[in-house]
Amino acid sequence: MPQSRPLSLITGASAGIGAAFARELAARGHDLVLTARRTERLEALAEELRGKHHCQVTVLPADLADPAAPQQLQQALAERKLAVDWLINNAGYGLPGTFEANAWEDHAAFIQVLMTAPTELAWRVLPGMRERGYGRIVNVASLAGHVPGTAGHTLYGASKAYMIKFSQSLALENRHLGVHVCALCPGFTWSEFHDVTGTRELMNQMPRFMWQTAEDVVREGCDAAERGDIVRVTGRVNRFIKSLVKLMPDRMGLWLSARESRRYRHAAPQ
């Protein structure tokens, strides 16, 4: 069983799905460790949650593009004698444009944040979870990891497919020890994600029924992690899309992907 108040470490907690996880888990009685690059936002969120839910919130600013960040976070937790019960690997962003249009340094940072850092953080907190016989790891993946790749945002779907497969293997290795691992796969979610990537105007062309709120995504994710679901695609529309794509021949799926990329992927070929 977890500590009297489970402790959740949330990456990318300053906005969007990460901030929604912080609010939801605080409401469920968790203490929190919040990490992201934007210290002021983290401190404001921490103050809000302490006042509303009377929980302990520790702010540890970090840039996961720095390869040293996961180990530094682990050291900071150890110094404070904090044991992580829930790890929410949420930090992420999009890198618009085609593969050759971006510098390798940008691709390398992207891979570090979306693949290497969450994998290392799981490796660092897992031994404690196994020893205590309780743990929850939620890897925020995406519907993009289930559907064919797109022209533009070249590494995004690939990174999310990796997180899904990684979660599946990690879940099978640890489920007999009380550790649940879940790949959470939202589709289009209302947040500042598309503002940061400069694709908000394109995204606004998508039908409203395609979108979910971050709060809805997070509630599904928390419930799925508690149940022991290994993969959770959020929202009926997204689950329908995933099922439909699985039934399609690869050639048809890629044709549809190429057609739709022109609508919502920045710098995709016309």
Side-chain angles (χ1 to χ4, degrees):
M1 294 297 294
Q3 306 164 75
S4 57
R5 289 182 63 89
L7 180 71
S8 295
L9 169 60
I10 306 170
T11 71
S14 60
I17 290 175
F21 262 114
R23 293 185 174 100
E24 179 68 20
L25 290 171
R28 294 184 184 213
H30 290 222
D31 291 329
L32 306 172
V33 177
L34 308 180
T35 186
R37 293 177 300 167
R38 295 177 287 190
T39 305
E40 290 184 3
R41 285 198 178 194
L42 293 177
E43 293 288 3
L45 178 59
E47 190 65 24
E48 170 198 329
L49 297 177
R50 292 184 192 113
K52 186 173 182 179
H53 299 290
H54 307 289
C55 56
Q56 294 184 13
V57 185
T58 303
V59 171
L60 297 176
D63 183 356
L64 293 180
D66 179 358
Q71 184 177 10
Q72 291 170 351
L73 284 170
Q74 183 187 39
Q75 290 171 345
L77 291 166
E79 290 168 0
R80 292 163 174 79
K81 295 181 171 55
L82 297 175
V84 175
D85 297 299
W86 282 58
L87 169 63
I88 311 297
N89 272 320
N90 166 74
Y93 59 98
L95 192 59
T98 54
F99 187 61
E100 80 287 351
N102 289 284
W104 173 248
E105 291 77 10
D106 293 332
H107 289 308
F110 181 91
I111 292 169
Q112 174 66 34
V113 173
L114 275 85
M115 297 172 65
T116 306
T119 305
E120 183 176 350
L121 283 171
W123 181 81
R124 291 187 177 281
V125 304
L126 188 58
M129 293 178 174
R130 289 168 61 99
E131 182 179 349
R132 295 188 300 275
Y134 177 88
R136 304 288 184 262
I137 298 175
V138 179
N139 292 319
V140 179
S142 172
L143 178 64
H146 292 285
V147 301
T150 61
H153 294 249
T154 318
L155 297 181
Y156 189 79
S159 70
K160 297 306 186 180
Y162 165 79
M163 291 304 291
I164 293 167
K165 295 298 185 184
F166 169 59
S167 300
Q168 290 172 332
S169 294
L170 202 62
L172 295 177
E173 291 173 3
N174 292 280
R175 60 182 178 181
H176 65 291
L177 295 171
V179 179
H180 297 173
V181 183
C182 178
L184 180 63
C185 302
F188 295 116
T189 305
W190 294 112
S191 72
E192 64 180 34
F193 179 92
H194 300 291
D195 300 306
V196 173
T197 61
T199 55
R200 172 58 60 197
E201 186 175 348
L202 291 172
M203 291 298 100
N204 287 343
Q205 298 174 25
M206 301 298 295
R208 293 189 67 84
F209 70 82
M210 297 284 292
W211 293 84
Q212 284 187 288
T213 67
E215 291 74 18
D216 287 340
V217 168
V218 164
R219 278 192 291 271
E220 283 197 55
C222 290
D223 291 343
E226 286 284 30
R227 285 194 304 268
D229 294 357
I230 296 176
V231 178
R232 177 65 181 183
V233 178
T234 65
R236 293 179 180 177
V237 171
N238 295 323
R239 288 192 288 273
F240 173 77
I241 291 171
K242 179 200 169 188
S243 299
L244 184 63
V245 168
K246 286 183 67 175
L247 297 174
M248 285 183 184
D250 289 346
R251 181 177 295 181
M252 179 178 291
L254 287 168
W255 175 80
L256 282 173
S257 175
R259 189 186 73 173
E260 294 303 305
S261 292
R262 299 188 182 99
R263 297 176 55 192
Y264 63 87
R265 288 300 191 203
H266 182 60
Q270 299 300 312

